[in-house]
Amino acid sequence: MAAVEELSEPGSLSEEEREAVRHQLFRLADDEFVLAERYTEWQVKAPTLESDLAFSNIAQDELGHARLWYDLLQDWGAEESELIWERDPSEWRHSTLVELPFEEGDWSDPVLRSYLYDVAEDIQLRALQDSTYPRIRDRVGKILGEEDYHREHAASWLERLCEEDESRARVQDALDRLFPHALTLFAPTDEAVEDRIDELGIRSEPLVTMREEWLDEVVPFLESLGLSVDDAELPEQYDVHHSQLELPEHTGRDQSHTDDWFDLYDEFTRSYRELGRTSAARIMKDPDDE
Amino acid sequence: MDIEEVKQRAGPREFSPKDDMPEEYRKAATRMIQFHANSEIMGAYLEKPFIRQAPSLDRKLAFSAKVQDEIGHGQLLYRAAESLGIKTRDEMLDELAEGEGKFLNCFHYPMDSYVETPMIAFFVDGAAMRRQATLKSTSWEPYAHAMDKVCFEEGFHVKHGEAILYELMTGSKKEQEMTQEAFEEWWPRIIQFFGPTNDKSTHHGFASEVGLKQMGNDELRTAFLNAYIPKAEKYGLEIPDEPRISKNDDGTYEVVEEDLDWDEFFTIAKNDYEPGVGQIEGRKASQDAVEWVRESLDNHENRLYGSSQPQAAD
């Protein structure tokens, strides 16, 4: 890639640059937030007290990462509540992988979902380590460290669950269901903006290259556990021009979502609405706080 | 060791698994610690929906961390209970699922609204803190040891609850009214947290004599009211007229017992209170749904170490 110049401060970006940075940030922030929102469903419901503790930790890590990314989006004036609790659900950009609901007791799903996601996240974060946008670059290191542990956790659960036919069959079911949605992790928000993200050097690898890298890692691992990843066996899968064919109806990235997302959004914003905490009705600060 | 010797020696952290304790002591301690451990788990179950309902990222993180802490306390306490050699952790968890395990009265009432969360996180946790602080000097050393960590973390939980209460009571008029309404509903339950007066409490005598319990219900209730009535008022909550509470000259409080619904309290104590049964069964259903995972883990352990090994999940 040709040498690219470092981008300037948030306030001095051109409109096109700003749009590219924001698309990249929403990809990251929305994924982490919605995934964590789903993960916390397993708290008090995991198979053992120990797995409950471990999974809670992971959910909190992801929430923390979401906060780091939303924080950068606040550089342009929006508050956290506006970015999360007041943003229209049809404007979110997370992959559909992270919004799908869990079926009661289907522990194979969060474990597999975590694996598919964490490998992808690792690849995406490494492509941001040399970002031309310094505020993204500075935050990558901390997150990468925690993701290593998440991946190890997920992989070791998968290994165990795949030791036996019965539990492996459950993982296979989850894989059949989740795999097309996992591919949306690499789907574009908007082709032109994604190209700009690459041209500006906000990330160092285009989506298609990262997707290939992801397939090269997850497919052999899953197959080594006796699982079958049908689509991925086809060489076309690696052909960028087929990408649209393999994706589910909604990719999330392009702001089209499954009904489950809108239900989830309604649930997590319920208290916020009940308490009347919309920006328009925001009350004065307590004078004692000044 | 016979009971007489136990009573004579009964001091803080006096006994541990190295001692040969009489069965009566081990059973009483198991009952107490199991109750405490169950309460941690059911408290976590009660608060879990508010991880989702929390209206900001910080609050969401705090609720998730708190629920995680409670599960961790449960884990720690079941271990302390197991060390008495009466029941295994699996047996205790099964009893909880089957509706035989007892737990705190307040955790039998489901919460519907976010404004109820400080009732648990500030008042009930504050009340629990009072009791738990005294348990750092219980005579069963593993229990006291667990309390060191539990109390440390509970301190954060109470602050979390207090911050939410402050936020709600300095919020809109609507928020303040909703919070007052929740307080009125919860206040009698919170007073009952400490149980009936000492003379009516079935297990109090023996547990005190052998040093398991360090302070009676009455003393704890008084200490709690002394600290929390002013706090509630400071945040603008009005103390309901009932139960009638009067302050004596010596600083102790008198609660008019007949103003409280003891039928409900004892129905709860037997796990027969309808909404509470729903909580117990809801948790059981989610645990049954992942039984296949525990079986799979057991098989994994057995393949690795042979079937004689105790199972250790990840």
Side-chain angles (χ1 to χ4, degrees), chain A residues 20 34 54 219 243:
Chain A
V34 179
V219 174
S243 63

Side-chain angles (χ1 to χ4, degrees), chain A residues 1 91 126 143 163 191 209 217 224 241 244 255 290:
Chain A
M1 191 184 292
E91 290 175 14
R126 279 190 280 109
I143 300 179
E163 280 174 13
E191 297 277 3
T209 315
E217 180 167 349
S224 77
H241 302 295
Q244 292 306 322
Q255 301 181 318
E290 313 272 273

Side-chain angles (χ1 to χ4, degrees), chain A residues 284-290, chain B residues 166 170 234:
Chain A
M284 227 175 65
K285 268 208 155 163
D286 179 6
D288 290 346
D289 283 348
E290 313 272 273
Chain B
Y166 169 78
T170 53
K234 178 178 126 193

Side-chain angles (χ1 to χ4, degrees), chain B residues 71-277:
Chain B
I71 296 293
H73 298 172
Q75 184 200 34
L76 209 61
L77 287 163
Y78 284 125
R79 194 174 293 257
E82 262 186 333
S83 66
L84 289 147
I86 299 286
K87 291 175 190 172
T88 64
R89 178 172 103 169
D90 283 350
E91 283 167 339
M92 291 184 273
L93 283 169
D94 283 346
E95 286 180 13
L96 183 61
E98 297 306 326
E100 292 155 24
K102 306 296 167 61
F103 57 96
L104 275 176
N105 73 317
C106 288
F107 298 159
H108 289 253
Y109 300 98
M111 284 196 286
D112 296 321
S113 168
Y114 183 74
V115 295
E116 292 178 89
T117 60
M119 305 309 141
I120 293 288
F122 183 52
F123 292 103
V124 176
D125 282 359
M129 271 286 276
R130 295 269 145 193
R131 176 143 70 196
Q132 286 167 355
T134 70
L135 292 173
K136 284 184 179 184
S137 40
T138 182
S139 60
W140 186 243
E141 198 266 340
Y143 190 21
H145 185 67
M147 279 306 108
D148 291 338
K149 182 171 195 281
V150 170
C151 287
F152 179 73
E153 292 180 353
E154 286 294 340
F156 288 103
H157 299 175
V158 176
K159 290 221 183 312
H160 153 84
E162 188 164 11
I164 295 173
L165 181 64
Y166 169 78
E167 193 176 61
L168 291 169
M169 293 305 287
T170 53
S172 65
K173 184 90 181 139
K174 186 183 167 197
E175 282 173 75
Q176 293 175 26
E177 283 169 4
M178 286 165 74
T179 310
Q180 174 68 29
E181 214 172 291
F183 181 64
E184 283 168 22
E185 191 178 17
W186 280 87
W187 180 241
R189 305 166 179 171
I190 294 163
I191 304 293
Q192 285 182 311
F193 172 91
F194 295 100
T197 46
N198 283 350
D199 52 324
K200 289 184 194 142
S201 165
T202 11
H203 302 303
H204 178 69
F206 181 76
S208 292
E209 283 164 14
V210 297
L212 284 167
K213 249 177 131 172
Q214 292 294 313
M215 218 190 253
N217 295 347
D218 294 346
E219 284 167 277
L220 287 167
R221 190 187 302 106
T222 287
F224 171 76
L225 292 171
N226 261 320
Y228 280 78
I229 287 181
K231 286 186 190 197
E233 288 171 340
K234 178 178 126 193
Y235 290 115
L237 289 168
E238 267 177 59
I239 308 294
D241 294 337
E242 288 197 4
R244 283 164 289 168
I245 299 171
S246 55
K247 196 171 188 178
N248 300 326
D249 293 340
D250 61 356
T252 59
Y253 281 93
E254 208 81 58
V255 178
V256 179
E257 291 237 342
E258 67 252 33
D259 286 357
L260 294 162
D261 188 345
W262 292 104
D263 283 345
E264 185 172 284
F265 181 85
F266 286 109
T267 307
I268 281 175
K270 281 183 273 179
N271 286 351
D272 285 342
Y273 181 69
E274 253 335 295
V277 171

